[in-house]
Amino acid sequence: MPSLIHSATPGAIPHDVRDLADRFAFSIPKLFTTSNPKLNKGEALGFGRALALHHLPARHLGFACTPGMEGSTASRGFIPSLWAIAEREGLTQKALAHNGCPWATSGCAAGCLNWSGHGGMAGNGNAVQAARGRRTLAMISSPQAYARAVLWSVARHYAAARRDGLPLAVRLRATDEGPNSSGGWHGMPVHVTPGEALSLRERYGFETSPHTAAPITERLAANPGLFNYEYSKATIHGELGLISQRAAGVDVTASFAADRPTACRDGLAALREGFRLAIPVALKKGAPIPESVTISAGGESITVPTVDGDRSDHRYLDPHGAVVLRTKNSRGAGAVADLFSLRGHDSAQPLADGAVTLSWLS
């Protein structure tokens, strides 16, 4: 529970949030990624502004905090600065146990977009991965204070977007599935005092209820022109499942993993429940995407139209169907990552529990 002590300055950062940011060396205004090719495309197309929150995926926080760990690239291995923080904060064992992507397959973990673009560069002491690691350590150290830091950061960006007459889309799980041990972003109660709620309203025009321990997703949904969207490999049901996320006000696109033993059945289940299905396909940049995707398993088949997922990252604007994502270069991925994506041809592709067929108009 955060301290009830509150500065009278409207919008002042709460003491527990400021302390966490100082200990783990992150900036509240710069907590989110605000510019990358897909986010920029969406804004240029008039879809509005978008934010993405990056942490270290899967087991990679533990790798970064293990002296002598060698990754396939320097950015995937030991990062001394993160290990030093984990040791100082008594978090080393939690870091080694942390799994940011409990539903990831081996191909997904190997080919993660965490190591594409700037994320794959190892210069300046692995600066990008070190920053993502510090945020991850902060999250597992104090999920409540970190969630409040996220809330204050969103509020700042929301005010800026409103000044520019733009809607704001927020993605809290850009490279991981969030604080799973605390019920996920959509299940973890986030406390806001009356004074803090007043400050958020006066400074940023951000509405949020005091006293009620509402999840951050509910707090975001209370503001017009603010959208919370995610991709997720979670199961359909359960506390952290897709249905639970949607019920909390999150627009969720299910993620397809071709190397999962239940890939086709999971894809069919997601489509039946009304979720979009994001499908990585090994297509060259600029190559046309298929017009439709057919998934078959256990005597059942569903064919859905596609949208080009690389046109923007604003998934909440897409209709029901398949979102085709061209496989991106993830530095140091290795051959196992190839199993995560479908091939770019129109023949049926057999998978562990069924088949997928991509179709182009002739």
Side-chain angles (χ1 to χ4, degrees):
M1 182 82 175
S3 169
L4 296 182
I5 299 173
H6 174 72
S7 168
T9 305
I13 304 299
H15 300 299
D16 62 323
V17 173
R18 189 178 297 280
D19 175 68
L20 191 73
D22 289 344
R23 284 165 50 206
F24 292 93
F26 65 84
S27 162
I28 304 299
K30 297 180 180 179
L31 196 59
F32 283 85
T33 293
T34 59
S35 177
N36 67 33
K38 286 180 69 174
L39 299 184
N40 297 343
K41 286 179 185 177
E43 186 165 351
L45 289 167
F47 298 159
R49 195 163 292 163
L51 312 173
L53 183 61
H54 291 279
H55 301 115
L56 291 186
R59 299 279 183 184
H60 287 282
L61 178 62
F63 297 164
C65 293
T66 301
M69 175 65 69
E70 294 185 7
S72 53
T73 62
S75 56
R76 291 176 182 255
F78 175 55
I79 301 178
S81 63
L82 290 182
W83 175 72
I85 294 173
E87 287 282 287
R88 183 193 73 205
E89 298 290 332
L91 291 172
T92 304
Q93 291 306 309
K94 282 189 175 182
L96 297 178
H98 178 69
N99 183 358
C101 307
W103 300 283
T105 61
S106 56
C108 171
C112 181
L113 292 177
N114 182 62
W115 291 281
S116 66
H118 290 296
M121 297 178 182
N124 195 24
N126 294 305
V128 172
Q129 297 307 324
R132 293 175 182 179
R134 291 195 301 273
R135 291 193 288 267
T136 312
L137 285 170
M139 181 176 68
I140 66 175
S141 171
S142 179
Q144 265 288 327
Y146 187 71
R148 283 158 51 77
V150 169
L151 189 68
W152 254 258
S153 185
V154 170
R156 293 174 67 100
H157 290 289
Y158 180 63
R162 281 163 55 92
R163 284 195 299 270
D164 295 337
L166 297 172
L168 180 68
V170 177
R171 185 176 166 196
L172 301 178
R173 292 178 289 209
T175 44
D176 75 330
E177 291 278 357
N180 298 313
S181 62
S182 302
W185 290 120
H186 63 285
M188 179 175 62
V190 179
H191 298 271
V192 175
T193 68
E196 290 166 352
L198 179 62
S199 286
L200 288 168
R201 182 184 306 116
E202 290 181 348
R203 178 69 179 268
Y204 305 120
F206 185 91
E207 297 292 338
T208 195
S209 299
H211 298 304
T212 304
I216 191 169
T217 51
E218 291 184 20
R219 296 190 182 279
L220 299 184
N223 291 273
L226 200 161
F227 305 93
N228 183 193
Y229 76 106
E230 306 288 356
Y231 299 81
S232 180
K233 290 185 177 65
T235 56
I236 294 291
H237 301 287
E239 180 186 27
L240 300 174
L242 299 177
I243 292 175
S244 178
Q245 293 181 43
R246 182 170 61 188
V250 183
D251 184 287
V252 188
T253 298
S255 294
F256 186 84
D259 59 339
R260 179 179 286 162
T262 57
C264 293
R265 281 176 287 167
D266 291 345
L268 289 173
L271 291 171
R272 283 196 304 266
E273 290 290 343
F275 294 99
R276 294 177 221 92
L277 187 63
I279 302 179
V281 182
L283 293 170
K284 292 182 179 179
K285 184 177 181 179
I289 67 167
E291 309 292 336
S292 64
V293 174
T294 300
I295 301 177
S296 303
E300 178 186 6
S301 290
I302 294 179
T303 299
V304 291
T306 65
V307 296
D308 188 342
D310 293 329
R311 185 168 178 257
S312 82
D313 200 51
H314 292 64
R315 294 282 73 82
Y316 63 96
L317 297 174
D318 293 336
H320 180 260
V323 179
V324 174
L325 300 169
R326 295 172 182 83
T327 304
K328 308 300 187 299
N329 175 43
S330 180
R331 289 180 176 87
V336 69
D338 294 340
L339 302 175
F340 174 66
S341 301
L342 297 175
R343 304 300 96 189
H345 60 68
D346 59 4
S347 298
Q349 301 186 46
L351 301 181
D353 66 335
V356 179
T357 303
L358 310 177
S359 299
W360 284 261
L361 292 177
S362 55

